[in-house]
Amino acid sequence: SLTAALEYVKATAPFIVGAGGHAKVLADLITADGRFRVFGAIDAKPAGPAAKLSRLKILGDDALLPRLKKQGVRHAAVGVGASPRTAPRAANRRALIKLGFELPALVHPRAIISPGAILSPGVQVMAGAIINPRVYSPARPNARLLRRQQIVMARVGTATPPAPEPI
């Protein structure tokens, strides 16, 4: 029935927050992953240039998030790019989790994942990525990961790494 089909889509099809370049790459990843199809995208500027150039179905702006959740949409993916700052991406992730959306781990079939790797919810593994078995979580960085961040940031410039998120 149509109702059952709609319920299936709401339960399995993620929407993407963001409609720029990273969101388009993420839509391709979701399609290639094969478990989902993209429901649409939410963007802070639904009539902005990124949304207009996007081939994604723009559902509206961030104000639509609570309504989507009430209608039974379960899955979301953060499609906001991280360069050069990661704060907007982290803020979107926290907001989606707070509203109760699930952020599935998304893995491109052309990525190489070690059997010993642990993928956290919301991770996005792009085509060509290689994930080894060691576990480093940016949400809970250990001393070695913090040092690596400092080295990378020193090479990149004056940007400050994000503060660890409370879990």
Side-chain angles (χ1 to χ4, degrees), residues 13-35:
F15 65 91
I16 298 173
V17 175
H22 183 67
K24 289 189 278 187
V25 171
L26 187 56
D28 289 343
L29 184 156
I30 291 168
T31 302
D33 180 295
R35 295 177 296 148

Side-chain angles (χ1 to χ4, degrees), residues 129-146:
I130 300 172
I131 307 297
N132 292 310
R134 287 199 97 175
V135 180
Y136 291 118
S137 172
R140 293 184 303 270
N142 61 18
R144 185 173 178 182
L145 182 57
L146 287 171

